[in-house]
Amino acid sequence: STGAAIYISDKYNDVTLTVIDSTFDANLVADCGAVAIYGNNSKGVKYEISGSEFTDNVAYNMDPEACCAGAAVYTEGVNATGTISNSKFIGNIVDSTVFPNGGAVKIQFGGDATIEGCTFENNSAALTGGAIDVQSMDGVDTFVTIDDCTFVNNTAGSAGGAIAVLQGSGNSYVSVLNSRFIENEAANVGGAIYAAVANGASEVYVEGSNFTSNNAPEGGAIYALDDLDVKTSLFEANNASTGAAIYISDKYNDVTLT
């Protein structure tokens, strides 16, 4: 039900996963990931995914007790750390009746991930994070850096057409650097980025990025609940009924725009 192509866990030993110049196409999984990585135990998983292509993978489950996430890559746990670089994610889909998020990549419940030099195109999630979904939980922190990535025409059924950052009982720290967001769309909020961090300890930081022609009813490019820091970024021709570029939901937010 998880890891249609690769399943890896640190249940018994420290584990290293290296995936280079590989193709994952049209894998179907009931729960999470063509590649599923679990670092929930006392050991650890270190992973490197480079130069690979993930196309038309699907996570699909209509079981009301199950959830689906990360049709291409799913990582979970504080001891899962790694890098995804110079890879393409095209046409991956997550659909479920319960929390379908992270159309291509889901990083949750802790861990430290760097995603760099990647292209995300035509990915979709029925709820949040059309391309990437990040979530903290169980009192552990999640750290993600997204650098020099391109997001084109990704869609979410509710929030975060390209990226959604969700905060549970832990903190989420996400940096988006030198990236491009083009024609991404969410049905409700955050055409490109949805930042649902509502605690001062969590943060979404955006620098040197371009947002062009993204769409949502609220927050055409970015919708934030709290703690959003944006520097030296360009917003052009984004569309929304309220907040075509950025929509801030709470009057008490700490926000920096440079």
Side-chain angles (χ1 to χ4, degrees):
S1 62
T2 188
I6 297 174
Y7 174 95
I8 190 166
S9 170
D10 66 339
K11 184 174 182 179
Y12 300 108
N13 295 291
D14 294 326
V15 181
T16 299
L17 172 68
T18 303
V19 178
I20 298 176
D21 297 337
S22 299
T23 299
F24 297 81
D25 179 63
N27 295 283
L28 175 64
V29 64
D31 289 330
C32 306
V35 176
I37 300 166
Y38 288 85
N40 293 314
N41 299 287
S42 59
K43 302 298 182 177
V45 176
K46 294 183 178 179
Y47 60 90
E48 177 188 0
I49 299 171
S50 178
S52 296
E53 294 190 7
F54 295 80
T55 56
D56 299 325
N57 299 285
V58 177
Y60 178 84
N61 198 328
M62 291 296 107
D63 183 347
E65 301 299 322
C67 63
C68 286
V73 177
Y74 175 87
T75 80
E76 177 180 314
V78 66
N79 293 317
T81 63
T83 300
I84 303 172
S85 63
N86 303 315
S87 296
K88 295 181 179 180
F89 297 82
I90 300 173
N92 301 285
I93 299 172
V94 170
D95 192 10
S96 170
T97 56
V98 182
F99 303 123
N101 45 41
V105 176
K106 172 75 174 185
I107 299 167
Q108 74 172 0
F109 304 168
D112 192 332
T114 298
I115 302 171
E116 56 187 5
C118 292
T119 297
F120 296 83
E121 186 171 356
N122 295 329
N123 302 286
S124 67
L127 189 62
T128 62
I132 299 173
D133 196 274
V134 179
Q135 184 174 11
S136 62
M137 189 63 73
D138 298 331
V140 298
D141 297 340
T142 304
F143 301 86
V144 178
T145 299
I146 298 166
D147 189 7
D148 190 26
C149 290
T150 301
F151 299 83
V152 180
N153 198 36
N154 301 285
T155 60
S158 180
I163 299 171
V165 183
L166 309 175
Q167 179 189 359
S169 56
N171 298 309
S172 297
Y173 302 91
V174 177
S175 296
V176 179
L177 311 173
N178 310 309
S179 294
R180 297 148 297 278
F181 297 82
I182 304 165
E183 295 183 351
N184 302 284
E185 184 170 357
N188 294 326
V189 295
I193 298 176
Y194 173 61
V197 293
N199 183 312
S202 296
E203 181 177 314
V204 174
Y205 177 83
V206 179
E207 182 175 358
S209 296
N210 294 342
F211 297 81
T212 306
S213 299
N214 301 285
N215 298 277
E218 295 182 342
I222 300 175
Y223 180 100
L225 290 178
D226 202 352
D227 294 330
L228 173 68
D229 191 346
V230 179
K231 295 183 178 179
T232 58
S233 294
L234 174 66
F235 296 82
E236 184 176 15
N238 300 285
N239 299 291
S241 297
T242 308
I246 299 174
Y247 183 105
I248 305 298
S249 176
D250 191 312
K251 64 184 292 186
Y252 299 108
N253 285 315
D254 294 325
V255 181
T256 299
L257 297 176
T258 303

